[in-house]
Amino acid sequence: MRNHLTPTRAALTAAGLLLAAAPTAYATLATPDSAAHTRSEPYVETRLFFGTARPDGGPAVTDRQFMAFVDKEVTPGFPAGLTVQSGRGQWRDAHGTIEKERSYELILLYPQGQADASDRTIEDIRRAYEKAFGQESVGRVDERAQVDF
């Protein structure tokens, strides 16, 4: 009996080879011996999401107000640097209404060894914004990162 390589069988064979090789290639890129890893340090990246619409229908938070907030509440805790990006976002509020609004994303990077102290500072920032601008919440995302400056 002779085995013939049909187009379907050829495609399945090729897919199997790719799948078998993919984890090996991925693992090779992520090894601790890579040059990028030895150059970088373990950090935490925290992203905060600030809405600008006020639940009470008052005027939206302006760029000037937001940057004054950053200068007063964020910079003292993260004087080494930060990034602010403008965006558009949406979320479902406490009443089930989908709110669409201008927003800001604040990106903070700090050494993993400072995570506990930074966590307290970040929570203070979130509460200060909620109180100052009548917000229900400030979104937060934390991820581990390898950073080199």
Side-chain angles (χ1 to χ4, degrees), residues 26 41-49 85 105-113 115 118-119 122 139-147:
Y26 180 77
E41 299 293 326
Y43 269 63
V44 176
E45 175 184 358
T46 296
R47 292 181 291 143
L48 299 177
F49 299 92
Q85 299 184 79
E105 178 183 17
L106 174 69
I107 303 168
L108 304 167
L109 293 168
Y110 46 93
Q112 199 168 9
S118 295
D119 179 68
I122 291 165
R140 178 177 178 173
V141 176
D142 295 303
E143 296 184 79
R144 292 176 188 233
Q146 289 297 126
V147 176

Side-chain angles (χ1 to χ4, degrees), residues 9-88:
R9 186 175 285 171
L12 290 172
T13 302
L17 289 172
L18 287 174
L19 288 174
T24 305
Y26 180 77
T28 303
L29 290 174
T31 61
D33 298 331
S34 69
H37 183 76
T38 58
R39 245 189 344 265
S40 62
E41 299 293 326
Y43 269 63
V44 176
E45 175 184 358
T46 296
R47 292 181 291 143
L48 299 177
F49 299 92
F50 300 87
T52 59
R54 298 188 194 227
D56 64 4
V61 178
T62 66
D63 286 342
R64 175 175 274 169
Q65 289 171 318
F66 184 76
M67 291 314 296
F69 175 84
V70 169
D71 290 344
K72 179 182 176 195
E73 301 290 341
V74 182
T75 300
F78 296 92
L82 54 90
T83 299
V84 174
Q85 299 184 79
S86 295
R88 302 275 319 157

Side-chain angles (χ1 to χ4, degrees), residues 82-129:
L82 54 90
T83 299
V84 174
Q85 299 184 79
S86 295
R88 302 275 319 157
Q90 72 179 43
W91 75 299
R92 188 180 313 239
D93 69 14
H95 305 291
T97 304
I98 295 179
E99 301 287 344
K100 296 181 181 187
E101 61 188 328
R102 272 186 328 100
S103 60
Y104 297 97
E105 178 183 17
L106 174 69
I107 303 168
L108 304 167
L109 293 168
Y110 46 93
Q112 199 168 9
Q114 296 175 10
D116 288 342
S118 295
D119 179 68
R120 287 187 294 279
T121 302
I122 291 165
E123 288 305 301
D124 289 345
I125 291 166
R126 294 175 74 198
R127 301 302 160 245
Y129 189 81

